[in-house]
């Protein structure tokens, strides 16, 4: 082999071994590294940390080793058990290969070169009591003591971090401090941090962006959905735990700010010494923080005027410490105008200060000492001062001026508004502490003035109909805000209302639900105007409301259903609308409803109502309600009225109709006499037993109980007269229109001589009773099992009961035998009496004795016949039960069998009673005649 070939072979072998090593090393070390990482996490983190797949590769960041974890979750323990503190879709950590090998041999720490975090979600929460979910998250190293003296055996086991890069992509961070009233969130977060963190002192650079930034303090929003960019160079002292801001730029929408100073953590508290300033004074920058203006063609906006912002934070922040801070912002002679709108906003001026001397967050004072703006020709002025904003907000506010809404729509581009007109005037002052309002110490509250609306008209693409407020006047008093008059048109629906709000300050300052009460009335409400056929959605119940309203509506229309004289009480609370004794007239009768409808989950609203219906027209109700057509299909073929008391609960679809397969409920039902036309079930039954009277019959009044469960309406057994015949009904109807019923029809003897009798005689023969002549019976009861569907019912006929066989055949035979025995006894007694008269007194006693013996024989014979009747009845009942093939049919057959036994027992008792009476009568007669024969 030549030298070049040898060199190529050696190079190829080295390359192959290298590639093999790149593939095998991760496989060999993956489990051990994962175990080491898990052990270190368990040792260092006091939380439930888990992850999904583990990836280990040398190829991605060669010559470093990349460890990848997916679906990382950090879940709290202790008082925050079950709360997710952080989650990460994917985490990649680049490790120095040499440190990995040394770490596996317990000879050194792991060295981290870079970290990338994809889609992290971080939730930092502090409760009002001061407990935070991030406290005690990092465990103290084993062997440490408060003085900082640590005894260790063997080499150090802590991680050594040589971090060259840290990146976050598409993150979300939420900080919610209920104790201080501070809420902040960053959405769409991207962040990178670069620096050599293996050094004790270094310069680092950071680039941060958030699509949406929100900051609220004590219920007041300071930033709302603002885009944030922060680029900074930092001087980092790892030993002194200090970060100093060097060249930096903070941008909030178009507002440019710069920070100077430092942040340090010499102990448990964070030491702050920061200064904030705006290097430019263009009014346009501060205007960009107004969401409604920044979101609409902000680039084309023409502005003038100046602003100034500066601030300073000094002191310590910790569990028992709070820094002092001051922020000043002012606007002078500001104005703005859109080129394509006719009116500018002019003479804008404001002065805002936020001060805290330090020590406690509740020492903060927010003072908007001046605000002025002119829209069109109308000025609007206001001032607000808020003290002790967390524990007990102390508010001093005033607003005075007029806002022409038509001029506003020609000054500001209002999102999703097509037309806006009207005038709002205000002259109101409020000075109050929340504790005084909560405790009803109204003598300490100063609240007066009015807010009035005239001629307001709003048209918007998202509104199905325009809204017009003809007049509305609110008067402030210490006790409440009173609505003296309210007249409006919602599309073609009119509305008049009066009432009051009890916690206007709590709603504004504490995010409390708006509480109040009142009354409303309307001549006509047309709900159909507010529904979209293209995008059907449930009608939502607003959140943050706690209102009780007494209402009257003369005419209410919904899905073509006309209702009148509606009266009742409505309660709106926790996204739930509750009706209390809400009544109205409709469908020829009257309905009443009590219960609730709620939209906590707007995609699946739920309801629970007690419904009372009085004398409603059956046909109209069936046409109006899908639920009635589905679960009571006979209503489509019926004419008459009904009343019902039902309890119903379940879910609604997007078009506000009940989801029938989860509908539950039940109650009672009462009808008038009903005429049936073209009902397939009765037509089939008429054909089956050749009885034309069952086709298009009249039904007597029905009284029954029903229950609805698992998509079926079950009818409890009831009796009804059908075309003069007695019928028992028991069974259920499904939402798929399936039928499962048992019918029992009593056919009188007058109908059994023709074709109907032939059918019944055939049934009797098939039931093993060929010897019965049904045409001679008083009545025969026929059982019918109904299956199939409403449109195509399937019938199964059987001999459910033959009362005539028991009552007439067996009973009549037993009665004839008794009469025959009695007649024979009569003849023998008469013969004995003749002999007694011939033999005189000597035979009298013998005659009576003979009569008593014969009477006993009559009684014994009657009792024997009675037992035969009972036995025959029991056998008939057993035959009926034997024909039942399933539990539902057996339940119906049991009713019939019990009736057969009862009637047989009654006939047997009658036989015995009649025999006893006749025997006793003949004995008494024998005694009387014997006495006469002897002259007694």
């Amino acid at each position: 082999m030549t030298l070049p070939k040898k060199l190529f072979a050696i190079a190829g072998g080295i390359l192959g071994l290298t590639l093999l090593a790149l593939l095998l090393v991760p496989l060999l070390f993956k489990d051990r590294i994962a175990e080491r990482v898990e052990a270190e996490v368990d040792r260092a983190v006091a939380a439930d940390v888990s992850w999904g797949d583990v990836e280990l590769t040398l190829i991605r960041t060669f010559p470093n080793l990349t460890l990848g974890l997916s679906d990382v979750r950090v879940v709290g323990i202790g008082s925050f058990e079950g709360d997710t503190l952080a989650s990460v879709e994917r985490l990649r950590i680049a490790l120095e290969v040499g440190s990995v090998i040394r770490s596996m041999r317990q000879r050194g720490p792991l060295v981290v070169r870079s970290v990338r975090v994809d889609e992290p979600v971080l939730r930092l929460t502090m409760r009002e009591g001061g407990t935070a979910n991030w406290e005690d998250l990092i465990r103290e190293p084993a062997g440490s003591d408060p003085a900082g003296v640590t005894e260790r055996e063997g080499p150090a086991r802590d991680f050594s971090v040589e971090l060259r890069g840290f990146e976050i992509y598409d993150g979300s961070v939420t900080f919610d401090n209920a104790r201080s009233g501070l809420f902040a969130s960053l959405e769409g977060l991207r962040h990178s941090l670069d620096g050599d963190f293996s050094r004790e002192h270094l310069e680092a650079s950071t680039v941060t962006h958030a699509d949406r930034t929100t900051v609220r303090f004590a219920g007041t929003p300071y930033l709302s959905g603002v885009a944030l960019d922060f680029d900074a160079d930092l001087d980092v002292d790892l030993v002194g735990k200090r970060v100093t801001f060097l060249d930096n730029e903070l941008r909030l929408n178009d507002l440019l700010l710069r920070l100077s100073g430092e942040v340090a953590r010499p102990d448990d508290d964070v030491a702050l010494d920061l200064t904030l300033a705006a290097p430019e004074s263009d009014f346009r920058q501060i205007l960009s923080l107004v969401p409604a203006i920044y979101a609409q063609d902000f680039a084309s906006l023409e502005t003038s005027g100046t602003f100034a912002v500066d601030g300073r934070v000094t002191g310590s922040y910790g569990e028992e410490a709070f820094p002092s801070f001051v922020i000043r912002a002012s606007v002078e002679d500001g104005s703005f105008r859109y080129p394509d709108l006719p009116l500018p906003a002019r003479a804008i001026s404001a002065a805002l200060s936020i001060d805290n001397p330090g020590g406690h967050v509740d020492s903060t004072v927010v003072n908007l000492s001046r605000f002025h703006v002119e829209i069109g020709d109308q000025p609007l002025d206001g001032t607000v001062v808020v003290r002790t904003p967390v524990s007990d907000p102390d508010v001093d506010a005033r607003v005075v001026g007029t806002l022409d809404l038509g001029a506003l729509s020609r000054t500001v581009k209002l999102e999703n508004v097509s037309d806006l007109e009207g005038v709002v005037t205000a002259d109101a002052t409020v000075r109050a502490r929340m504790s005084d309002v909560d405790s009803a110490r109204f003598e300490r509250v100063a609240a007066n003035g009015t807010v009035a609306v005239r001629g307001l008209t709003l048209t918007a693409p998202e509104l199905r109909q325009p809204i017009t407020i003809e007049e509305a006047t609110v008067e402030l008093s210490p006790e409440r805000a009173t609505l003296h008059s309210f007249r409006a048109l919602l599309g073609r629906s009119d509305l008049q209302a009066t009432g009051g709000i009890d916690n206007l300050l709590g709603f504004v300052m504490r995010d409390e639900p708006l509480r109040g009460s009142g009354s409303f009335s309307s001549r006509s409400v047309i709900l159909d105007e507010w529904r979209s056929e293209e995008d059907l959605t449930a009608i939502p119940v607003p959140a943050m409301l706690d209102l009780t309203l007494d209402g009257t509506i003369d005419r209410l229309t919904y899905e073509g259903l006309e209702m009148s004289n509606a009266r009742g009480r409505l309660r709106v609370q926790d996204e739930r609308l509750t009706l209390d004794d809400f009544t109205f007239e409709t469908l020829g009768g009257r309905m009443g409803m009590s219960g609730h409808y709620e939209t906590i989950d707007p995609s699946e609203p739920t309801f629970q109502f007690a419904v009372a219906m009085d004398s409603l027209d059956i046909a109209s109700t069936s046409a109006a309600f899908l639920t009635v057509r589905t679960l009571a299909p006979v209503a489509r073929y019926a004419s008459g009225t009904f009343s019902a008391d039902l309890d119903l609960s379940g879910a609604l679809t997007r078009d506000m109709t009940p989801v029938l397969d989860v509908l539950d409920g039940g109650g009672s039902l009462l009808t008038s006499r009903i005429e049936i036309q073209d009902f397939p079930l009765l037509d089939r039954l008429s054909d089956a037993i050749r009885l034309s009277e069952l086709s298009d019959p009249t039904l007597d009044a029905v009284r029954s109980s029903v229950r609805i469960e698992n998509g079926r309406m079950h009818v409890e057994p009831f009796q009804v007269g059908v075309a003069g015949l007695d019928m028992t009904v028991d069974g259920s109807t499904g939402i798929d229109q399936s039928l499962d019923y048992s019918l029992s029809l009593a056919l009188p003897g007058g109908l059994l001589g023709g074709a109907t009798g032939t059918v019944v005689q055939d049934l009797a023969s098939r039931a093993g009773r060929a010897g019965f002549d049904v045409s001679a019976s008083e009545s025969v009861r026929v059982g019918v099992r109904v299956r199939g569907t409403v449109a195509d019912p399937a019938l199964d006929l059987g001999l459910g009961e033959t009362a005539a066989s028991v009552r007439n055949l067996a009973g009549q035979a037993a009665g004839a035998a008794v009469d025959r025995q009695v007649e024979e006894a009569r003849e023998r007694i008469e013969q004995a009496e003749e002999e007694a008269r011939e033999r005189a007194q000597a035979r009298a006693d013998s005659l009576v004795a003979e009569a008593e013996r014969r009477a006993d024989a009559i009684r014994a014979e009657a009792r024997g016949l009675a037992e035969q009747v009972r036995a025959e009845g029991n056998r008939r009942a057993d035959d009926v039960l034997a024909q039942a093939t399933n539990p539902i049919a057996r339940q119906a057959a049991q009713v019939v069998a019990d009736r057969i036994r009862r009637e047989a027992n009654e006939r047997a008792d009658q036989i015995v009673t009649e025999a006893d009476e006749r025997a006793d009568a003949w004995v008494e007669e024998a005694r009387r005649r014997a006495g006469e024969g002897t002259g007694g």
Side-chain angles (χ1 to χ4, degrees):
M1 182 181 291
T2 63
L3 181 60
K5 290 183 179 180
K6 291 180 179 180
L7 293 176
F8 276 119
I10 294 172
I14 294 174
L15 179 60
L17 290 173
T18 302
L19 292 175
L20 184 63
L22 291 175
L23 295 173
L24 291 180
V25 168
L27 295 177
L28 294 174
F29 287 98
K30 176 179 177 180
D31 292 339
R32 296 182 63 187
I33 292 177
E35 291 174 2
R36 177 69 187 278
V37 171
E38 185 174 1
E40 293 293 344
V41 168
D42 289 342
R43 183 182 65 85
V45 180
D48 183 4
V49 182
S50 63
W51 52 79
D53 294 335
V54 178
E55 175 192 16
L56 195 64
T57 178
L58 275 165
I59 298 176
R60 187 184 300 275
T61 54
F62 184 80
N64 294 320
L65 184 67
T66 297
L67 173 66
L69 302 176
S70 64
D71 194 22
V72 181
R73 295 286 185 273
V74 180
V75 179
I77 58 177
S79 62
F80 288 93
E81 184 175 0
D83 292 349
T84 300
L85 173 66
S87 64
V88 176
E89 185 68 21
R90 190 165 191 83
L91 173 66
R92 290 194 182 96
I93 305 173
L95 307 170
E96 186 183 79
V97 175
S99 74
V100 171
I101 297 174
R102 291 191 297 272
S103 175
M104 293 301 99
R105 297 178 178 177
Q106 305 293 320
R107 293 181 180 177
L110 285 170
V111 177
V112 179
R113 292 289 187 178
S114 65
V115 176
R116 170 170 172 154
V117 186
D118 291 332
E119 300 182 41
V121 177
L122 181 62
R123 300 182 182 89
L124 304 175
T125 303
M126 177 175 281
R127 295 170 178 165
E128 290 186 359
T131 305
N133 65 350
W134 66 85
E135 288 181 349
D136 302 324
L137 185 64
I138 305 301
R139 301 183 195 272
E140 292 293 334
S144 64
D145 60 66
V149 179
T150 304
E151 296 181 2
R152 288 192 178 96
E153 296 181 3
R157 295 288 305 278
D158 294 337
F159 278 105
S160 173
V161 180
E162 187 177 337
L163 188 62
R164 298 298 177 86
F166 179 82
E167 299 173 310
I168 294 176
Y169 289 90
D170 195 17
S172 173
V173 177
T174 301
F175 176 80
D176 189 359
N177 190 334
R179 187 180 189 186
S180 66
L182 177 63
F183 174 88
S185 68
L186 300 172
E187 299 178 41
L189 176 65
R190 299 192 299 274
H191 171 75
S192 65
L193 176 66
D194 295 313
D196 187 355
F197 284 85
S198 64
R199 301 171 57 187
E200 294 181 350
H201 198 105
L202 70 144
E203 281 194 12
S205 62
T206 180
V207 177
T208 303
H209 169 83
D211 294 336
R212 294 170 298 281
T213 304
T214 298
V215 177
R216 294 194 301 270
F217 177 61
T220 302
Y222 289 89
L223 297 176
S224 180
V226 172
L228 177 147
D229 287 281
F230 181 52
D231 300 344
D233 293 331
L234 308 172
D235 183 86
V236 182
D237 180 359
L238 293 177
V239 176
K241 298 182 181 179
R242 177 178 288 103
V243 175
T244 304
F245 288 90
L246 303 176
D247 188 27
N248 66 86
E249 182 177 286
L250 172 63
R251 189 174 293 275
L252 303 172
N253 283 349
D254 273 22
L255 175 61
L256 178 63
L257 301 170
R258 287 202 172 94
L259 293 171
S260 61
E262 64 180 28
V263 178
R265 188 166 186 177
D267 48 35
D268 290 340
D269 295 338
V270 177
L272 302 168
D273 187 2
L274 297 173
T275 300
L276 174 73
E280 301 176 10
S281 60
D282 187 353
F283 171 62
R284 179 188 189 85
Q285 291 191 18
I286 195 79
L287 190 63
S288 73
L289 297 185
V290 181
I293 295 177
Y294 187 74
Q296 299 291 320
D297 258 349
F298 187 76
S300 68
L301 200 65
E302 300 170 357
T303 64
S304 64
T306 61
F307 88 100
V309 173
D310 62 79
R312 184 177 181 87
V313 182
T314 57
S316 297
Y317 177 80
E319 185 173 348
E320 301 296 334
F322 194 83
S324 66
F325 65 85
V326 58
I327 298 175
R328 302 275 189 270
S330 63
V331 174
E332 300 296 339
D333 198 24
S335 70
F336 67 87
R337 180 180 182 274
Y338 287 95
D340 52 347
L341 292 181
L343 295 179
R346 301 178 295 106
I348 302 172
S349 63
L352 172 69
S353 66
I354 306 175
D355 294 88
N356 189 306
H360 197 281
V361 64
D362 212 26
S363 301
T364 303
V365 176
V366 180
N367 184 6
L368 179 63
S369 60
R370 172 170 49 94
F371 176 79
H372 179 86
V373 63
E374 295 179 10
I375 304 293
D377 297 328
Q378 302 292 344
L380 186 65
D381 292 273
T383 61
V384 178
V385 179
V386 181
R387 300 177 178 85
T388 58
V390 177
S391 63
D392 186 13
D394 184 356
V395 180
D396 187 347
R398 183 169 186 219
V399 60
V400 58
T402 300
L403 180 60
D404 186 331
L405 299 177
L408 178 66
S409 68
R410 295 187 290 275
T411 302
V412 177
K413 292 187 175 182
L414 301 173
E415 187 176 10
N416 296 324
V417 174
S418 302
D419 183 47
L420 181 64
E421 297 291 340
V423 176
V424 179
T425 58
D427 186 355
T429 301
V430 174
R431 290 189 297 275
R433 296 184 74 96
M434 284 304 305
S435 59
D436 292 333
V437 176
D438 293 341
S439 302
R441 294 189 292 264
F442 296 119
E443 69 278 3
R444 303 183 184 180
V445 177
N448 58 78
T450 60
V451 178
V453 178
R454 295 288 186 278
L456 186 151
T457 299
L458 172 63
T459 304
E462 294 185 356
L463 292 175
R464 295 281 295 164
Q465 301 294 330
I467 295 177
T468 299
I469 299 178
E470 300 172 354
E471 176 190 19
T473 302
V474 176
E475 181 178 359
L476 299 182
S477 69
E479 293 84 359
R480 66 191 330 221
T482 303
L483 179 66
H484 283 295
S485 64
F486 180 87
R487 292 188 293 111
L489 287 174
L490 312 177
R492 291 182 293 158
S493 304
D494 68 284
L495 184 63
Q496 299 82 42
T498 59
I501 302 300
D502 299 325
N503 68 327
L504 187 60
L505 286 179
F507 175 73
V508 173
M509 299 299 299
R510 285 186 174 172
D511 289 333
E512 296 177 354
L514 194 64
R515 293 196 305 272
S517 60
S519 61
F520 70 91
S521 63
S522 174
R523 292 184 299 274
S524 175
V525 173
I526 306 172
L527 294 178
D528 293 333
E529 290 185 330
W530 296 92
R531 304 185 68 210
S532 170
E533 298 298 333
E534 294 80 17
D535 183 21
L536 292 174
T537 56
I539 301 173
V541 180
M544 298 300 292
L545 290 180
D546 185 356
L547 302 177
T548 300
L549 302 172
D550 292 306
T552 63
I553 303 173
D554 294 340
R555 180 172 171 268
L556 178 64
T557 303
Y558 178 68
E559 284 194 327
L561 180 64
E562 297 286 342
M563 294 162 272
S564 61
N565 296 323
R567 302 286 188 274
R569 173 165 292 183
L570 287 71
R571 176 79 181 271
V572 180
Q573 184 183 34
D574 299 330
E575 298 179 78
R576 170 184 286 190
L577 172 64
T578 301
L579 302 181
D580 184 10
D581 195 23
F582 190 79
T583 63
F584 52 91
E585 297 172 4
T586 186
L587 302 172
R590 190 163 186 83
M591 288 185 65
M593 302 177 67
S594 294
H596 69 263
Y597 158 80
E598 64 183 10
T599 55
I600 295 175
D601 180 359
S603 64
E604 188 175 310
T606 59
F607 69 92
Q608 182 175 351
F609 282 107
V611 183
M613 293 172 274
D614 183 20
S615 302
L616 268 63
D617 181 74
I618 294 176
S620 301
T621 304
S622 176
F625 297 109
L626 174 64
T627 305
V628 175
R629 294 195 301 274
T630 302
L631 294 177
V634 68
R636 283 181 286 178
Y637 308 93
S639 299
T641 63
F642 77 100
S643 299
D645 288 299
L646 301 174
D647 290 316
L648 300 173
S649 63
L652 297 173
T653 63
R654 289 171 59 88
D655 62 355
M656 300 290 289
T657 58
V659 181
L660 295 180
D661 56 358
V662 296
L663 181 65
D664 286 322
S668 61
L669 175 70
L670 175 65
T671 74
S672 66
R673 286 177 60 88
I674 301 172
E675 293 183 0
I676 303 294
Q677 290 281 336
D678 301 323
F679 187 33
L681 171 57
L682 291 180
D683 288 344
R684 291 280 177 89
L685 183 59
S686 174
D687 293 340
I689 63 176
R690 301 179 188 177
L691 190 62
S692 60
E693 286 84 349
L694 293 178
S695 181
D696 298 341
T698 297
L699 275 63
D700 293 343
V702 173
R703 183 184 296 274
S704 179
S705 298
V706 299
R707 55 186 173 86
I708 303 170
E709 58 184 18
N710 300 323
R712 299 193 72 85
M713 186 175 79
H714 299 264
V715 179
E716 301 299 330
F718 68 90
Q719 288 186 335
V720 59
V722 182
L725 307 178
D726 177 41
M727 179 184 288
T728 301
V729 181
D730 177 23
S732 66
T733 304
I735 60 174
D736 57 356
Q737 298 294 277
S738 63
L739 302 176
D740 188 358
Y741 280 91
S742 293
L743 309 180
S744 180
L745 184 64
L747 301 177
L751 297 176
L752 300 176
T756 301
T758 302
V759 173
V760 176
Q761 188 70 59
D762 179 63
L763 292 175
S765 299
R766 288 192 282 113
R769 297 293 175 265
F772 290 153
D773 181 6
V774 297
S775 63
S777 303
E778 293 182 11
S779 176
V780 174
R781 187 168 289 273
V782 176
V784 184
R785 182 64 186 276
V786 181
R787 294 188 177 89
T789 64
V790 174
D792 187 20
L795 308 184
D796 181 15
L797 302 182
L799 185 64
E801 179 182 350
T802 308
S805 297
V806 176
R807 188 168 56 249
N808 296 330
L809 299 182
Q812 290 172 7
V818 171
D819 292 341
R820 189 168 53 255
Q821 294 295 326
V822 170
E823 184 62 29
E824 292 176 356
R826 186 200 302 271
E827 293 175 356
R828 286 194 294 270
I829 291 172
E830 289 176 349
Q831 183 179 358
E833 289 177 341
E834 182 65 25
E835 293 176 354
R837 283 191 297 270
E838 293 175 356
R839 295 180 180 87
Q841 183 65 44
R843 302 293 305 271
D845 293 338
S846 177
L847 176 62
V848 174
E850 177 66 13
E852 288 177 342
R853 185 180 64 80
R854 294 298 183 185
D856 290 339
I858 291 172
R859 293 188 183 99
E861 193 167 7
R863 281 168 173 73
L865 290 174
E867 289 301 316
Q868 292 179 21
V869 171
R870 289 192 179 94
E872 178 66 11
N874 289 332
R875 186 170 60 82
R876 300 290 185 192
D878 293 339
D879 290 343
V880 170
L881 290 174
Q883 295 177 31
T885 58
N886 59 64
I888 295 177
R890 187 169 183 84
Q891 185 175 0
Q894 184 66 55
V895 175
V896 175
D898 291 344
R899 183 183 300 163
I900 292 174
R901 290 190 176 97
R902 184 176 63 254
E903 292 180 352
N905 287 331
E906 291 173 354
R907 182 56 184 162
D909 291 342
Q910 183 181 0
I911 291 171
V912 171
T913 300
E914 291 177 356
D916 286 343
E917 290 175 351
R918 292 181 182 181
D920 291 342
W922 283 113
V923 170
E924 288 297 321
E925 180 68 13
R927 287 174 178 170
R928 185 183 64 80
R929 292 181 180 181
E932 292 176 352
T934 60

